Amino acid sequence: MNHQTILYEMKCGLFDLSANTMEGLPLEQTFEALQCLFSSHFGIDQADFLLYESNRFLPVCKHGKESTEALLSNYIDSRELFNDKEFIVQITERGYGFADDYLIFRNNDLDPLGAMLFRSTDLWHSFASTPLLHELKKAVSVFIDQVVSQHSLREKEKNYRKLFEVTELFNATMDSAVILDGVVKAVTQTFPSFQVDLLLSHEQKGKSFSYRLFDYLNERASAVDAFLSGELTIEHASDLARSILNVPIKGRQGIYGVLQIIAPEGTDFSAMQRSFVRMISNAAGNGLENASLYDQSHRLVEDLQLVNEVSRNLNSNLEMNDMLRFLKQQLIKAFQPMEIAFVFYEESGEYKVSTVSSNFFFELGGADYLEFASTRLQGGAESIFEANIHLAVKEPARFPFKSLVSIPITHQKEMTGFVLLLHKDEYFFSFDSFKLMRSLIGHSSLAISNSQLRDKLQELVDKDNLTKLFTRSYLDNYMKKAMENNESGVFILIDVDDFKMVNDTYGHAVGDKVLKQISDVILEAVKGRGIACRWGGEEIAIFLPSISKQKGIDFASELVELVPKSTDPQVTISVGMNNWSLHQKTSFKELFQDTDQALYKAKNTGKNQLVVHGGFLTKV
């Protein structure tokens, strides 16, 4: 059979394959048939087809090869890139050792469409040496272009059908679990080899789907950007060897979380893929919003702040300072104040300025504005709107910022603090802006109060109920951070001598009282120096960062003398101590073990004494 005839029959075969593709033949089967066509005319039995997509060649048929991550290296679109030596080396290194030849197929713009890797034959060499090779490559390129285009259209149709089904489901339910289950299921089906995570801004207790709470402090910057901006973000995370697509789940009134798709490194999500995920996330956001509004309609209308807090539940799980930073960002973005302060009243009645506030309010000039706002609000003003504060004060020269707005932060109708915004221009804030600020602060008040309550609850978690000392877990975390950031310090372990005898003789109530007396002594001693925790039972640990070994010895020796004078019935203590410094490179574990050994020695060589790791001993 001459070469012209082979070309003719190959073109006929491609025409027949095109007809089958029009009828919906799967992409993998289409390329298997194309391989058979090459095999029947050139005797090529070992071959693989790769499609060029998202800046890399992807195998059409895996044939038991490695996962998606083991694809050929990225090839940026370049007409000078493909040379025999370079491409054959890449092929061999990635599991295609059988191939000793290849073809690159391109469209009319010379952009890559795909590649065929194969073990050549004499028939092929004979044909490839003729000018007809160019015509064959052109015919196959046209065929591949058509096949890929038709496949893309079918995928679009499939995605829109899936989107329609999911949207129909969202509109038919008011159950947030069903909506979020539907989102994850639909996206997972579209990206079966990728990891799909759901990051929600609020808890969904008792729900069936798998998710985690959006952690503002620990999420990757790209996820935080998507959550705050409401825009899709893509990160090529080299530290994780992954590409991450973050899609906000956005409704009309807020953002309810982030849908995160984690793919192999270098994956470039196509415009069609991004569009599909964005549409399905928006549909889910609207569905969640409808479900949320449906739930809210069944709550008591009398607690308007709670309703608004639920509807805007974007940052309810943030710590206080992070919540204030978020609120500060929103206020600056919406109203452009030059200075902003968050002020809270203490039990004594005095106010304290949050560290999140502008530096101006920690200077002398800021105090005038704080006093002005506090006096007015404490005097009964519901809020303050001064378009030109010079008209309301006796000494205008002391007030360079003319526009002032102050809104109280309330909890159960009681003012717990206030927000203060300033600008140097008079009449800078409009009355509409003022009303919007009041609404925004009003809705945020409940979230802030909840955060304050969480802080108090956290303090209960972090401190022992009887002694008011910190818990061991808190001290562990504190010490690990301190040992990273401080150059030296001292660790002390204390054990009450013969404490069991106290309990057996006087009862556990008296034993608890003695522990409380010792703890009070220690709390007073460590104030401003470090922290103390109840290590367990009658053992107490003290950590004093940034002090010398000698000062630690003096401190511990003083405790040994002070405790018997401060307890009734009188008890003594045994103390073990060790110091650390960065140049010693002592680990947290080693510091504890050495100190524990010193304490053991103190108890077993007479008690009522201090033993320092390394041999120092002092008796009372």
Side-chain angles (χ1 to χ4, degrees):
M1 186 181 299
N2 61 44
H3 296 147
Q4 192 68 47
T5 304
I6 291 176
L7 177 62
Y8 173 76
E9 291 187 356
M10 284 289 293
K11 287 183 175 181
C12 290
L14 291 172
F15 181 80
D16 291 338
L17 282 179
S18 295
N20 291 334
T21 303
M22 291 291 290
E23 295 175 1
L25 187 68
L27 197 63
E28 186 171 332
Q29 293 182 24
T30 299
F31 280 91
E32 286 176 352
L34 181 57
Q35 180 179 335
C36 290
L37 199 59
F38 274 88
S39 178
S40 64
H41 288 89
F42 301 110
I44 296 174
D45 292 327
Q46 284 187 284
D48 261 315
F49 281 93
L50 311 173
L51 288 181
Y52 191 79
E53 179 184 334
S54 300
N55 293 333
R56 61 167 64 203
F57 284 97
L58 308 176
V60 180
C61 311
K62 290 189 172 63
H63 300 304
K65 293 187 179 68
E66 298 177 26
S67 67
T68 308
E69 295 188 51
L71 306 177
L72 291 184
S73 293
N74 292 359
Y75 278 87
I76 300 170
D77 187 6
S78 169
R79 296 169 192 174
E80 291 78 33
L81 180 64
F82 305 109
N83 60 71
D84 290 343
K85 285 186 178 180
E86 181 180 0
F87 201 66
I88 288 295
V89 168
Q90 297 289 341
I91 289 169
T92 303
E93 289 178 351
R94 283 157 180 78
Y96 295 94
F98 67 85
D100 58 9
D101 205 349
Y102 69 92
L103 291 175
I104 299 291
F105 304 106
R106 301 176 182 273
N107 59 20
N108 290 334
D109 296 324
L110 297 182
D111 298 325
L113 293 169
M116 177 183 173
L117 317 177
F118 58 94
R119 181 180 294 281
S120 59
T121 64
D122 292 339
L123 283 173
W124 170 255
H125 283 305
S126 176
F127 180 85
S129 63
T130 70
L132 298 177
L133 174 62
H134 176 72
E135 195 170 344
L136 176 62
K137 287 176 64 175
K138 183 177 179 181
V140 176
S141 296
V142 170
F143 168 76
I144 292 176
D145 199 11
Q146 291 175 346
V147 167
V148 171
S149 297
Q150 290 168 9
H151 175 72
S152 178
L153 287 173
R154 286 198 296 271
E155 287 299 307
K156 276 187 178 180
E157 181 185 359
K158 188 192 303 182
N159 286 344
Y160 279 117
R161 187 180 296 114
K162 190 178 297 180
L163 180 63
F164 175 78
E165 292 172 355
V166 172
T167 304
E168 191 175 38
L169 171 67
F170 294 167
N171 291 332
T173 183
M174 288 297 176
D175 189 337
S176 59
V178 173
I179 294 170
L180 293 169
D181 266 333
V183 172
V184 174
K185 182 178 179 181
V187 176
T188 302
Q189 288 174 346
T190 304
F191 304 100
S193 60
F194 297 166
Q195 177 183 335
V196 179
D197 291 335
L198 195 60
L199 286 59
L200 297 184
S201 62
H202 59 286
E203 277 194 298
Q204 298 282 337
K205 293 183 179 178
K207 304 302 183 181
S208 61
F209 56 82
S210 176
Y211 74 96
R212 63 182 172 86
L213 286 176
F214 189 91
D215 184 352
Y216 182 84
L217 293 180
N218 297 313
E219 299 299 343
R220 298 187 71 85
S222 61
V224 175
D225 288 345
F227 181 73
L228 294 180
S229 68
E231 299 296 330
L232 178 148
T233 63
I234 297 177
E235 177 187 4
H236 297 292
S238 57
D239 57 323
L240 301 177
R242 292 289 185 271
S243 291
I244 304 173
L245 176 66
N246 301 288
V247 188
I249 302 174
K250 183 169 58 175
R252 291 177 296 274
Q253 296 185 11
I255 298 172
Y256 300 92
V258 173
L259 185 68
Q260 196 172 73
I261 302 171
I262 303 175
E265 186 176 20
T267 300
D268 287 330
F269 295 91
S270 67
M272 182 176 71
Q273 290 172 329
R274 296 197 301 269
S275 176
F276 169 72
V277 179
R278 185 187 292 111
M279 287 190 292
I280 204 168
S281 295
N282 287 343
N286 289 328
L288 282 175
E289 195 158 76
N290 290 336
S292 177
L293 292 172
Y294 177 81
D295 290 339
Q296 290 174 33
S297 68
H298 289 76
R299 297 182 180 182
L300 297 175
V301 182
E302 60 190 2
D303 197 344
L304 181 60
Q305 286 185 334
L306 179 60
V307 172
N308 280 281
E309 193 276 336
V310 171
S311 68
R312 298 172 181 268
N313 191 14
L314 299 177
N315 60 339
S316 59
N317 289 293
L318 297 177
E319 293 182 356
M320 171 64 82
N321 280 350
D322 298 308
M323 182 178 293
L324 294 180
R325 287 190 191 97
F326 177 81
L327 185 56
K328 180 181 179 180
Q329 290 174 354
Q330 302 309 307
L331 290 170
I332 291 174
K333 181 179 179 180
F335 310 113
Q336 290 89 45
M338 298 181 74
E339 307 290 350
I340 184 169
F342 297 92
V343 183
F344 296 94
Y345 288 102
E346 299 180 322
E347 292 183 3
S348 62
E350 297 181 357
Y351 59 75
K352 182 177 181 180
V353 182
S354 167
T355 56
V356 176
S357 307
S358 304
N359 292 332
F360 171 73
F361 293 100
F362 297 96
E363 300 170 357
L364 188 61
D368 291 330
Y369 289 96
L370 294 171
E371 192 62 32
F372 174 85
S374 179
T375 301
R376 289 274 297 271
L377 293 171
Q378 293 277 37
E382 292 185 2
S383 53
I384 305 171
F385 176 63
E386 290 289 349
N388 185 357
I389 196 173
H390 286 183
L391 302 177
V393 295
K394 294 181 179 178
E395 301 178 65
R398 296 178 58 182
F399 294 84
F401 295 90
K402 298 178 182 178
S403 292
L404 178 149
V405 170
S406 186
I407 314 291
I409 298 171
T410 60
H411 178 60
Q412 296 181 347
K413 298 183 179 180
E414 291 188 8
M415 184 172 66
T416 58
F418 58 89
V419 181
L420 180 61
L421 292 84
L422 301 176
H423 198 281
K424 285 192 174 181
D425 296 342
E426 60 184 42
Y427 300 99
F428 181 80
F429 304 116
S430 68
F431 190 68
D432 285 340
S433 294
F434 169 63
K435 290 190 294 183
L436 184 56
M437 288 180 211
R438 284 199 306 183
S439 176
L440 183 59
I441 302 304
H443 285 100
S444 301
S445 288
L446 183 59
I448 292 172
S449 297
N450 286 341
S451 181
Q452 290 174 316
L453 178 60
R454 282 199 305 274
D455 289 344
K456 292 180 181 178
L457 292 175
Q458 187 62 50
E459 184 177 348
L460 293 176
V461 172
D462 291 338
K463 289 190 176 180
D464 176 63
N465 186 50
L466 171 66
T467 63
K468 304 308 177 186
L469 300 171
F470 284 107
T471 61
R472 181 169 178 173
S473 61
Y474 183 89
L475 180 68
D476 287 349
N477 293 329
Y478 181 90
M479 285 181 63
K480 287 174 183 177
K481 292 178 181 177
M483 291 179 73
E484 292 175 359
N485 300 320
N486 293 281
E487 294 186 357
S488 63
V490 167
F491 183 54
I492 298 169
L493 279 176
I494 297 171
D495 188 88
V496 183
D497 296 330
D498 303 314
F499 188 69
K500 184 177 185 301
M501 186 181 299
V502 175
N503 281 331
D504 292 344
T505 304
Y506 300 101
H508 287 280
V510 173
D512 287 347
K513 184 185 75 170
V514 169
L515 278 179
K516 184 72 170 59
Q517 291 169 345
I518 296 172
S519 299
D520 290 343
V521 171
I522 291 173
L523 284 172
E524 183 63 29
V526 301
K527 188 180 297 182
R529 296 181 177 183
I531 65 170
C533 88
R534 188 172 182 181
W535 195 255
E538 67 273 20
E539 286 191 350
I540 295 172
I542 299 173
F543 182 65
L544 305 174
S546 302
I547 75 166
S548 66
K549 180 178 179 179
Q550 185 56 51
K551 287 186 178 180
I553 292 173
D554 295 341
F555 175 89
S557 299
E558 184 180 344
L559 287 181
V560 173
E561 295 181 2
L562 195 56
V563 166
K565 301 175 183 177
S566 307
T567 51
D568 182 22
Q570 188 180 75
V571 296
T572 61
I573 57 174
S574 295
V575 182
M577 192 199 94
N578 193 17
N579 69 303
W580 65 274
S581 62
L582 288 179
H583 73 270
Q584 291 175 328
K585 297 183 178 179
T586 305
S587 69
F588 172 79
K589 184 178 180 181
E590 290 170 340
L591 181 64
F592 161 69
Q593 289 175 340
D594 292 343
T595 310
D596 193 46
Q597 289 175 5
L599 174 62
Y600 181 81
K601 186 175 181 180
K603 290 192 69 67
N604 286 275
T605 57
K607 304 179 181 178
N608 190 26
Q609 62 182 324
L610 163 68
V611 172
V612 180
H613 178 70
F616 182 86
L617 181 147
T618 178
K619 287 181 175 290
V620 175

